[in-house]
Amino acid sequence: MYTDIPVSDLDLYSVDALHDPYPAYFALRALGPVVRLEKSDVLACARDAEVRHLLGDPITFSSASGVAMNDRMNSLMKGSTLVSDPPEHDAQRKILGRPLDTAALRALSDRVRSEAHRLVDRVCAKGKIEAVTEFAQHLPLTIVSELVGLPDDGKDRMLAWASAGFDALGPIDDRTAGAFKIVEQLFAFNQQQLSRSRLKPGGWADRLFEAVDNGELRPEQCTAMLQDYIGPSLDTTISATASAIWLFTNNPEQWDLLRANPRLISNAINEVVRIESPVQGFTRFLTKDVEMGGFSLAQGARILALYGSANRDERKWDNPDRLDIERRSQDQLGFGHGVHRCVGANLARLEISALLEALVRRVRRFTLIDSKRAVNSVIRGWESLTIVLET
């Protein structure tokens, strides 16, 4: 057994690293199965095997003490489904997932696909678009935000709240300080302005209050769980959609393959999420002494599970930096793994597949004009992507 955990001075939260984290991830994987990040004073798992193991054992690697890199955000998120462990997590997730179960998504499918086709008709008519605001954000902001059912003054701020909520999960620095100013608006809105009378009847948020009526939730849990609808329902899907456009722009042979065989759409989504994971990583809290990868880890350690690195681990994936929509990538970790696997993953798949189904019928080629990466501590995405669509 190794006696000393390797140490790295890499800063995964610098602007340069957030723009392109993959060289740093490669270096961490080469150092070992567990590495101590000196700058952040946390342990990090960058390889697939350890990240998968960590996510599969929620009792040893707990979420209840928070999944952020800082205590302030972990405290604010108390009571949400993301910051909970079984068995409480299982009960909360069951309630949270009711609007997202198979029957609910089947009923929503026609509406999503119709809206996707209308959107593709509009962007194809324009020819040149900004693919983040004019395309990737459309379904989450027009359909999902309505389904959540916040009043208009809350719905209009969901995108800013969601982005800041993920940004505030990073280590304390100037960026997270700015994010907290926006996050505090969300918590103030939930605590002070959000009453059941202001919610859309039958919306996802309203159904949390129904769970309180039925004795399934405590009132304070209902307020906390609203976070689970506001953030993950938007940014992750927007990020994955924009990344799909960018990847197919840069890999035209893969777009040709998808157009020739649209049955690959589901697999293509897995591959997009693998190679450009929307969520790059969350932390866990170690509840007992444990051995991992030949190292002894002490109770009380905070461990960063790097999904974005695990999904490019050369020990797991052949030629991991290459987009290959025929790759068997259904077990990628971009939607998480285990009990905390993204509860909205199937909704995200529905939205992205509807868009790709419409695009393959209309678009021969994407041409990149200009792009700018978004800078966020957790979400890997785009601030802007100017694209020309050739039909």
Side-chain angles (χ1 to χ4, degrees):
M1 183 174 66
Y2 297 99
T3 56
D4 296 312
I5 296 173
V7 178
S8 171
D9 63 358
L10 287 169
D11 181 5
L12 298 183
Y13 297 91
S14 70
V15 172
D16 287 346
L18 292 174
H19 278 164
D20 182 13
Y22 302 115
Y25 290 164
F26 181 85
L28 291 178
R29 293 195 301 269
L31 276 173
V34 184
V35 178
R36 185 169 73 85
L37 299 179
E38 192 173 38
K39 186 172 180 62
S40 305
D41 194 27
V42 297
L43 300 177
C45 293
R47 297 178 182 177
D48 175 88
E50 284 70 36
V51 172
R52 196 175 296 273
H53 172 74
L54 183 157
L55 297 178
D57 184 357
I59 304 305
T60 302
F61 303 95
S62 169
S63 298
S65 294
V67 299
M69 293 281 286
N70 67 83
D71 293 338
R72 183 180 177 187
M73 191 61 175
N74 286 332
S75 178
L76 284 173
M77 293 179 69
K78 283 287 187 182
S80 68
T81 311
L82 185 62
V83 179
S84 64
D85 291 331
E88 182 176 52
H89 169 81
D90 300 336
Q92 288 180 268
R93 184 183 175 94
K94 180 180 179 181
I95 296 164
L96 192 76
R98 283 172 184 162
L100 299 163
D101 64 18
T102 302
L105 293 183
R106 189 181 300 117
L108 187 60
S109 176
D110 286 347
R111 180 182 175 190
V112 170
R113 286 187 161 82
S114 294
E115 187 60 34
H117 279 272
R118 284 193 290 270
L119 173 61
V120 169
D121 286 344
R122 288 199 299 274
V123 297
C124 285
K126 290 188 66 173
K128 179 181 176 181
I129 64 166
E130 199 292 285
V132 178
T133 55
E134 294 184 77
F135 186 76
Q137 291 179 0
H138 182 78
L139 290 182
L141 288 179
T142 57
I143 293 181
V144 178
S145 64
E146 178 188 336
L147 293 171
V148 173
L150 296 183
D152 287 343
D153 55 339
K155 187 169 68 173
D156 292 344
R157 287 184 278 174
M158 279 183 68
L159 193 59
W161 284 340
S163 179
F166 282 111
D167 221 1
L169 295 173
I172 295 295
D173 57 18
D174 290 343
R175 186 168 56 252
T176 49
F180 273 119
K181 293 178 182 178
I182 301 172
V183 168
E184 286 167 355
Q185 297 172 12
L186 164 62
F187 285 96
F189 179 83
N190 284 354
Q191 295 286 345
Q192 301 167 17
Q193 301 181 46
L194 194 59
S195 64
R196 190 171 185 180
S197 63
R198 301 191 67 213
L199 299 175
K200 177 183 175 182
W204 296 356
D206 183 57
R207 292 175 70 170
L208 294 178
F209 283 90
E210 290 179 3
V212 174
D213 294 342
N214 297 334
E216 297 174 285
L217 288 178
R218 300 185 302 275
E220 64 272 18
Q221 287 179 296
C222 175
T223 303
M225 286 172 64
L226 282 172
Q227 303 167 45
D228 298 312
Y229 282 140
I230 290 173
S233 65
L234 296 178
D235 271 36
T236 51
T237 305
I238 292 167
S239 169
T241 302
S243 290
I245 299 299
W246 180 74
L247 286 166
F248 285 124
T249 297
N250 286 282
N251 297 273
E253 79 288 348
Q254 294 293 301
W255 182 245
D256 291 340
L257 179 59
L258 191 64
R259 291 186 69 218
N261 188 0
R263 288 177 296 180
L264 288 171
I265 285 176
S266 179
N267 206 64
I269 294 170
N270 282 327
E271 182 67 351
V272 165
V273 171
R274 180 194 70 80
I275 204 166
E276 284 289 319
S277 305
V279 173
Q280 290 287 292
F282 288 138
T283 72
R284 296 292 191 268
F285 181 82
L286 191 55
T287 62
K288 63 181 180 181
D289 294 347
V290 70
E291 182 178 314
M292 175 180 278
F295 296 108
S296 293
L297 311 184
Q299 177 183 355
R302 187 160 290 280
I303 306 177
L304 175 61
L306 290 167
Y307 309 167
S309 175
N311 276 340
R312 294 201 184 204
D313 184 1
E314 52 281 344
R315 294 156 191 81
K316 166 74 174 178
W317 309 99
D318 292 331
N319 201 0
D321 297 330
R322 177 179 179 270
L323 179 73
D324 178 3
I325 66 171
E326 293 183 299
R327 188 195 304 267
R328 295 176 61 84
S329 51
Q330 65 270 21
D331 61 341
Q332 49 79 21
L333 297 172
F335 287 125
H337 174 69
V339 299
H340 279 282
R341 186 179 183 278
C342 177
V343 70
N346 288 336
L347 174 60
R349 288 181 185 279
L350 171 61
E351 294 176 79
I352 300 168
S353 65
L355 292 169
L356 291 178
E357 287 167 8
L359 285 170
V360 295
R361 299 177 184 179
R362 297 288 307 276
V363 178
R364 293 188 298 107
R365 189 71 76 237
F366 305 99
T367 301
L368 179 66
I369 302 301
D370 192 24
S371 64
K372 184 178 181 181
R373 275 280 176 194
V375 178
N376 189 285
S377 296
V378 172
I379 295 292
R380 180 157 174 80
W382 295 94
E383 183 175 319
S384 63
L385 279 174
T386 305
I387 301 286
V388 171
L389 309 175
E390 300 176 24
T391 57

